[in-house]
Amino acid sequence: MTSIGGAEMVDWNLAVATATRLVRPGPEVSRDEAREVVAELRRHAKASEGHVRAFTRMGTEDTHDTPILVVDRPGWVRANVAGFREVLKPLLDKMQERRGSTPGGAVLGAVGGKVTGVELGMLLSFLSSRVLGQYETFAPATRELPAGGPSDSPSGGGRLLLVAPNIVHVERELDVQPHDFRLWVCLHEETHRTQFTAVPWLRAHLEGEIQSFLGETEVDPMTVLERIREAAQSLAGGRPEGEEDDGGRSLVEIVQTPAQREILGRLTAVMSLLEGHADFVMDGVGPDVVASVAEIREKFQQRRAKGASRLDLALRKLLGLDAKLRQYKDGERFVRAVVEEVGMDGFNRVWTSPNTLPTKTEIAKPADWVARVHRKTES
């Protein structure tokens, strides 16, 4: 990354160090138990590939040998910092250039980079104990964390992460059969891997939308400070007199520009599709390979709905994580309705091109998507 006076906009090493220091310890397991969990998760991930592709009918000739990595919480942090650094590079380069042209910019950059690094580390430490698995779409390969994809891909081609201590923690908390729960989680994450390996244009499309979103970001420091001030007033219930309620939007939503909200609407629709499809597949495959799937689903849904604590609920709201939970529900409802109407092959037309992806409105009204994509010529 371009730096001014040796200072980056984000001190990535400090972010990793902060998160690693603050991360909660995982559940107590013996060394033999840990090895057994890792081995079983790898077996389940491999087995899930066949189950998912048979159910979805989404075959692919070239998966680029996307790696499956079983990691601990610090390992998840390191992987995500690498991903953030890659995706945010164009935006941070632009902000770095703007800061470097101002008096004292190098000094401000050094201080600001460390502050941002600490803040990012704190956020990642919070999230690292909550993620069960993740398909990293924009994963740069490192010595510790390999990534699949063509050799000419600058940001890698993805990798599947399974966070072992979190999976063990949740299966104990829910009091479900460990073998079944681990396979159930792998089915969800393998669906994401299948989505991106079987649909060649999907990764580039998603990356383009994200870069468009970041390209609209305000880089003027005073503008950013003003938007943060407005966000803080709104969240504290102290918005200026005469202004309308923001409807309970998250901090992420409040600091967006109008153009970003439009892009975010498209991104929300895509993410709802991907998450809902994964939930639909894991429950569709489940009865054949996961004996206790009904019990797992019921207990897991209850856990999702109530959160771990009042603090957890507040942070989910602030960070916009409630929106992600809605994506699972809305997206799964969309996929189920479409499959019931036109079958799995009919649903798979969604993967034809960016033009056949559902809009945010169509996610809520699946019949509108069916009418648009499966338009029939009237005789």
Side-chain angles (χ1 to χ4, degrees):
M1 179 183 294
T2 302
S3 62
I4 303 297
E8 294 185 351
M9 291 294 295
V10 179
D11 189 328
W12 300 105
N13 291 332
L14 183 57
V16 172
T18 300
T20 302
R21 185 172 65 252
L22 297 177
V23 71
R24 298 177 181 178
E28 291 187 10
V29 295
S30 68
R31 182 165 298 185
D32 288 342
E33 287 175 317
R35 290 197 187 102
E36 182 182 345
V37 171
V38 170
E40 184 173 26
L41 285 172
R42 286 177 176 156
R43 290 196 304 270
H44 285 332
K46 286 291 186 182
S48 295
E49 183 176 352
H51 295 312
V52 169
R53 292 183 181 176
F55 183 80
T56 62
R57 302 175 193 171
M58 294 174 67
T60 177
E61 296 180 358
D62 186 7
T63 64
H64 303 307
D65 193 28
T66 309
I68 299 167
L69 306 178
V70 181
V71 297
D72 58 10
R73 291 169 179 174
W76 180 87
V77 168
R78 288 191 294 272
N80 276 266
V81 165
F84 284 151
R85 189 170 187 168
E86 187 68 36
V87 171
L88 294 176
K89 185 178 187 300
L91 171 64
L92 295 181
D93 280 350
K94 182 170 65 172
M95 296 181 72
Q96 187 83 354
E97 183 178 354
R98 174 73 64 88
R99 175 174 283 175
S101 64
T102 61
V107 175
L108 291 173
V111 176
K114 291 189 180 300
V115 171
T116 307
V118 170
E119 291 172 341
L120 178 59
M122 292 172 66
L123 173 61
L124 289 172
S125 71
F126 169 76
L127 295 175
S128 67
S129 62
R130 286 156 174 78
V131 177
L132 301 183
Q134 174 185 1
Y135 181 78
E136 276 202 293
T137 314
F138 313 108
T142 66
R143 181 179 300 178
E144 294 181 343
L145 298 163
S151 58
D152 60 351
S153 176
S155 56
R159 57 185 168 224
L160 183 62
L161 303 180
L162 296 168
V163 190
N166 295 349
I167 293 173
V168 172
H169 171 76
V170 174
E171 71 190 26
R172 290 179 178 178
E173 179 184 305
L174 298 181
D175 190 25
V176 293
Q177 212 284 332
H179 171 86
D180 286 0
F181 184 75
R182 294 167 193 174
L183 177 55
W184 189 71
V185 170
C186 288
L187 289 170
H188 182 101
E189 303 308 330
E190 175 57 38
T191 301
H192 287 317
R193 188 167 73 142
T194 297
Q195 290 163 348
F196 283 94
T197 55
V199 185
W201 54 265
L202 183 58
R203 179 182 180 277
H205 172 72
L206 193 59
E207 183 174 23
E209 291 282 58
I210 292 172
Q211 291 305 326
S212 295
F213 181 88
L214 295 176
E216 292 290 336
T217 299
E218 303 279 4
V219 294
D220 177 67
M222 293 306 297
T223 301
V224 173
L225 287 174
E226 178 64 19
R227 298 181 75 82
I228 292 174
R229 183 190 67 81
E230 293 173 357
Q233 288 180 335
S234 176
L235 291 169
R239 59 185 184 281
E241 185 177 356
E243 291 190 7
E244 294 183 359
D245 194 342
D246 58 38
R249 289 181 288 146
S250 70
L251 177 61
V252 175
E253 293 172 306
I254 292 168
V255 298
Q256 290 161 11
T257 66
Q260 284 177 313
R261 291 193 187 103
E262 183 178 342
I263 298 169
L264 186 67
R266 297 195 298 268
L267 279 169
T268 298
V270 174
M271 297 311 297
S272 295
L273 171 69
L274 298 180
E275 296 294 356
H277 183 235
D279 263 15
F280 177 79
V281 171
M282 73 194 297
D283 287 345
V285 174
D288 293 330
V289 297
V290 181
S292 58
V293 65
E295 177 191 1
I296 291 173
R297 166 56 75 185
E298 181 180 359
K299 290 183 176 181
F300 194 75
Q301 289 286 54
Q302 291 173 356
R303 183 180 186 274
R304 264 185 187 172
K306 69 180 182 180
S309 67
R310 182 168 296 182
L311 175 61
D312 186 68
L313 290 171
L315 287 170
R316 280 185 358 193
K317 181 67 175 178
L318 176 65
L319 299 172
L321 300 182
D322 279 346
K324 184 174 178 62
L325 297 180
R326 288 195 298 273
Q327 287 172 6
Y328 288 102
K329 184 184 298 184
D330 296 345
E332 196 275 339
R333 188 183 300 117
F334 169 84
V335 175
R336 185 173 301 280
V338 172
V339 171
E340 288 177 355
E341 180 70 20
V342 296
M344 185 64 74
D345 291 334
F347 165 79
N348 281 340
R349 286 198 191 181
V350 78
W351 312 117
T352 304
S353 75
N355 293 329
T356 56
L357 291 172
T359 65
K360 191 175 180 180
T361 299
E362 288 171 341
I363 288 289
K365 297 180 178 180
D368 289 356
W369 181 87
V370 173
R372 177 170 67 87
V373 176
H374 290 266
R375 188 178 293 119
K376 295 182 179 179
T377 303
E378 295 183 4
S379 56

